[in-house]
C-alpha cells in the first residue's frame, strides 16, 4: 500500500524520431499558414503547438500516409474542442479595454460566420437558421415551411456545404 503523499512518478520524456523531424520540416509552415488564415495568428500558434504535441504523443508518426490530411484533421479537431469548451463558458456581455486580442479575433470570427450565413440563398438560410438557431427538428421545419423532410435535408446539406466552402477560402 502506498502513501498518498508520495509524489507521482514523472512520465518518461518522448523523444521524437527522425520521421517526426521530417514531418515537421515538411509541413509545419503549411499548417501554420493554413491555421493563421482560418483562426488568426495567436490561435494558430497555439493550435500548431498542440497539434505537434498530439502527433508526437501518439507515437504513430511512421504510420501517417497523408501527412497534410492527418495534420489538418488533428488541428481542426483541436480547434473544435477549443470552440466547444469556450461555448460552455459564460459569455462576456460587455466589451472591456483590457480584454485582450482574443476578443477581437472571436468577434471577427462571429462576423465572418454571420456574413457567410447571410449570403446563403433564402431557402437554404431559412432551413439552416430554423435548425441551428431555432433548434427545430427536420420534421418540424418541414411542417413549418410546408415542404418535405427530404427537401429540408437537401437544403440543410447544401447550406452546410456552402458554409464550409466559404470558410475554407
Amino acid at each position: 500500500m502506498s502513501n498518498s503523499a508520495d509524489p507521482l512518478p514523472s512520465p518518461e520524456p518522448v523523444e521524437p524520431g527522425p520521421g517526426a523531424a521530417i514531418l515537421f520540416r515538411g509541413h509545419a509552415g503549411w499548417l501554420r499558414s493554413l491555421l493563421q488564415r482560418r483562426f488568426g495568428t495567436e490561435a494558430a500558434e497555439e493550435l500548431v503547438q498542440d497539434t505537434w504535441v498530439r502527433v508526437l504523443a501518439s507515437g504513430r508518426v511512421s504510420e501517417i500516409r497523408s501527412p497534410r490530411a492527418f495534420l489538418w484533421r488533428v488541428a481542426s479537431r483541436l480547434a473544435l474542442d477549443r470552440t466547444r469548451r469556450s461555448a460552455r463558458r459564460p459569455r462576456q456581455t460587455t466589451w472591456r479595454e483590457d480584454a485582450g486580442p482574443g476578443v477581437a479575433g472571436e468577434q471577427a470570427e462571429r462576423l465572418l460566420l454571420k456574413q457567410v450565413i447571410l449570403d446563403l440563398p433564402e431557402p437554404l438560410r431559412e432551413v439552416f437558421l430554423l435548425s441551428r438557431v431555432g433548434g427545430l427538428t427536420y420534421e418540424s421545419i418541414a411542417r413549418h415551411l410546408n415542404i418535405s423532410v427530404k427537401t429540408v435535408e437537401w437544403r440543410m446539406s447544401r447550406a452546410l456545404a456552402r458554409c464550409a466552402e466559404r470558410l475554407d477560402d
Side-chain angles (χ1 to χ4, degrees):
M1 191 152 108
S2 69
N3 184 351
S4 62
D6 290 339
L8 294 174
S10 60
E12 293 293 319
V14 176
E15 289 294 323
I22 292 169
L23 183 69
F24 182 79
R25 277 195 305 272
H27 303 288
W30 166 83
L31 182 62
R32 181 174 287 106
S33 173
L34 180 67
L35 293 172
Q36 281 176 343
R37 284 193 309 267
R38 200 98 193 279
F39 303 108
T41 303
E42 184 178 317
E45 291 300 322
E46 291 176 17
L47 285 169
V48 166
Q49 185 176 25
D50 292 347
T51 299
W52 290 111
V53 167
R54 179 79 50 99
V55 169
L56 291 174
S58 75
R60 305 175 85 185
V61 173
S62 62
E63 298 172 20
I64 298 172
R65 294 182 189 199
S66 300
R68 288 188 174 189
F70 179 77
L71 291 170
W72 173 244
R73 181 177 297 130
V74 171
S76 60
R77 286 181 179 170
L78 287 167
L80 181 61
D81 289 345
R82 181 176 291 178
T83 302
R84 286 178 181 156
R85 280 193 306 272
S86 69
R88 283 185 237 151
R89 287 188 223 128
R91 295 189 185 251
Q92 184 178 358
T93 55
T94 58
W95 188 83
R96 299 180 337 211
E97 288 280 331
D98 61 344
V103 172
E106 289 176 12
Q107 288 174 343
E109 286 178 18
R110 277 192 230 121
L111 285 174
L112 174 62
L113 184 57
K114 182 178 180 180
Q115 189 59 49
V116 167
I117 292 168
L118 289 174
D119 288 345
L120 288 171
E122 177 60 34
L124 303 183
R125 183 174 60 240
E126 189 172 29
V127 167
F128 181 89
L129 292 173
L130 287 170
S131 174
R132 297 300 165 116
V133 177
L136 298 178
T137 65
Y138 287 0
E139 292 80 18
S140 299
I141 295 170
R143 279 192 307 273
H144 179 74
L145 298 177
N146 200 26
I147 57 176
S148 72
V149 174
K150 284 290 185 192
T151 301
V152 173
E153 292 172 352
W154 183 86
R155 288 180 183 178
M156 188 64 175
S157 68
R158 293 301 309 144
L160 291 172
R162 286 186 181 212
C163 287
E165 288 171 8
R166 285 285 310 278
L167 293 173
D168 281 341
D169 291 346

